[in-house]
Amino acid sequence: MTTNTLVPKEVLGVYRPGSAHMVGDGFPVRNLFPSNELDQAVDPFLLLDYAGPQAFEPTEHPRGVGEHPHRGFETVTIMYQGAVAHRDSAGNAGVIGPGDVQWMTAASGVVHEELHEADWTKKGGTFQAIQLWVNLPRSRKMSAPGYQTILNAQIPNVELVGGAGHLRVIAGRFQGHKGLARTVTPIELYDLTLRAGGRAELSFSDGHNTALFVLQGLVSANGSSDAGEAELIVCKRHGASVVIEAREDSRLLILSGQPIGEPIARYGPFVMNTKLELVQAVEDYKAGKMGHLS
């Protein structure tokens, strides 16, 4: 995609993980936000946790996170290595493996569990994934929950000019290819692989927040300092083009979206607009109004 006539997005900064911790007993994560206090710069995205890569020994008991609730946003899980089994109180269940994506809209409230898939658990192996939280606008926070499984084979895979690499379209559009993810807010979510010396020219809507997370390699964007493994390049809203150059063989997750611009109130697994709404979310969960897993 040629972007020569578009205004480049200036780079706000390059950020390292702001914290590292274990989620349950199966997801060793490094957090890029909110730990770096980037709320306005990454709106509508609320959280980016990078899990692994980490080797797990074989076991009979799947590791992960047991029953827990969410309200007010969406969780997006992108698998690179390993396999995760999901089930929730709305009756949805599924397994995602390498290249697959799970998009769960918690909205008014859902209870779910995320565990290493049983057969993969027995074999063991390297686990690597990203989980994003995507905010919902006030008007949709109390809508009905939803669930999407997007398999690797369903994701458009576009070869870049000159053999520079390829780009998988998870959400949004790229060069006429549309991702299958149904999003509430306009979002582009790309899985980008670049060969050493490769260059990708991407365009986004002026006014959208755009960030690039490096899973592997070394890259720069619009003249930024180099960003390596587990680092995040965040762009300013103004402008429309981002030129990415790979110093080494690299893989990135590209995220861009229309800011919602509403107040954010957080409490654990709940993200609403006010503290009063958070109190109500806790009460509703305790009262069983978000359901339970049998």
Side-chain angles (χ1 to χ4, degrees):
M1 181 179 300
T2 300
T3 59
N4 292 338
T5 60
L6 301 178
V7 175
K9 284 183 175 286
E10 290 184 29
V11 172
L12 178 67
V14 177
Y15 299 87
R16 296 176 178 176
S19 67
H21 58 281
M22 182 68 78
V23 177
D25 62 357
F27 307 118
V29 305
R30 287 172 280 178
N31 179 266
L32 277 300
F33 55 84
S35 59
N36 278 303
E37 299 182 355
L38 291 166
D39 279 1
Q40 291 188 359
V42 295
D43 179 11
F45 305 100
L46 295 164
L47 172 146
L48 192 161
D49 272 346
Y50 180 37
Q54 180 165 315
F56 284 90
E57 295 296 322
T59 180
E60 293 295 317
H61 304 286
R63 304 175 180 92
V65 185
E67 177 175 323
H68 62 283
H70 291 298
R71 172 179 280 182
F73 61 98
E74 304 180 286
T75 67
V76 181
T77 304
I78 304 158
M79 290 300 304
Y80 298 92
Q81 299 184 77
V84 165
H86 160 98
R87 65 188 183 105
D88 65 39
S89 56
N92 301 300
V95 174
I96 55 171
D100 299 341
V101 176
Q102 175 200 94
W103 201 295
M104 186 188 79
T105 304
S108 60
V110 72
V111 170
H112 76 147
E113 67 176 15
E114 303 159 284
L115 301 173
H116 294 179
E117 190 272 331
D119 288 341
W120 186 85
T121 296
K122 292 174 183 178
K123 297 174 184 175
T126 300
F127 188 90
Q128 183 182 24
I130 286 177
Q131 184 164 98
L132 292 171
W133 289 8
V134 182
N135 202 8
L136 290 170
R138 187 192 305 269
S139 62
R140 297 293 294 274
K141 283 187 179 293
M142 294 301 291
S143 58
Y147 180 83
Q148 305 169 67
T149 295
I150 306 168
L151 300 178
N152 182 37
Q154 299 173 304
I155 298 175
N157 192 6
V158 184
E159 290 294 324
L160 300 178
V161 174
H166 62 268
L167 182 151
R168 299 197 313 142
V169 188
I170 299 168
R173 295 179 180 273
F174 178 76
Q175 293 186 352
H177 298 269
K178 186 178 185 301
L180 287 183
R182 301 182 301 275
T183 70
V184 174
T185 298
I187 285 172
E188 282 80 40
L189 194 61
Y190 303 150
D191 176 15
L192 173 64
T193 301
L194 286 175
R195 297 181 179 89
R199 172 186 171 101
E201 300 184 30
L202 310 178
S203 65
F204 303 98
S205 295
D206 192 351
H208 284 202
N209 282 325
T210 303
L212 301 75
F213 178 71
V214 183
L215 289 94
Q216 170 195 336
L218 192 68
V219 305
S220 68
N222 287 0
S224 72
S225 57
D226 289 347
E229 191 260 350
E231 294 187 331
L232 183 77
I233 302 173
V234 179
C235 299
K236 296 181 180 180
R237 289 186 186 180
H238 178 60
S241 77
V242 177
V243 177
I244 306 164
E245 297 177 297
R247 317 297 187 202
E248 305 171 357
D249 290 349
S250 301
R251 188 168 190 178
L252 302 90
L253 181 68
I254 313 297
L255 45 152
S256 186
Q258 179 178 306
I260 294 172
E262 294 177 350
I264 295 173
R266 303 173 186 250
Y267 180 73
F270 307 124
V271 182
M272 303 300 288
N273 297 109
T274 69
K275 289 183 179 180
L276 210 59
E277 290 168 338
L278 292 177
V279 171
Q280 187 65 54
V282 173
E283 291 177 355
D284 287 350
Y285 170 59
K286 289 180 177 178
K289 293 183 179 180
M290 298 180 192
H292 287 288
L293 299 177
S294 57

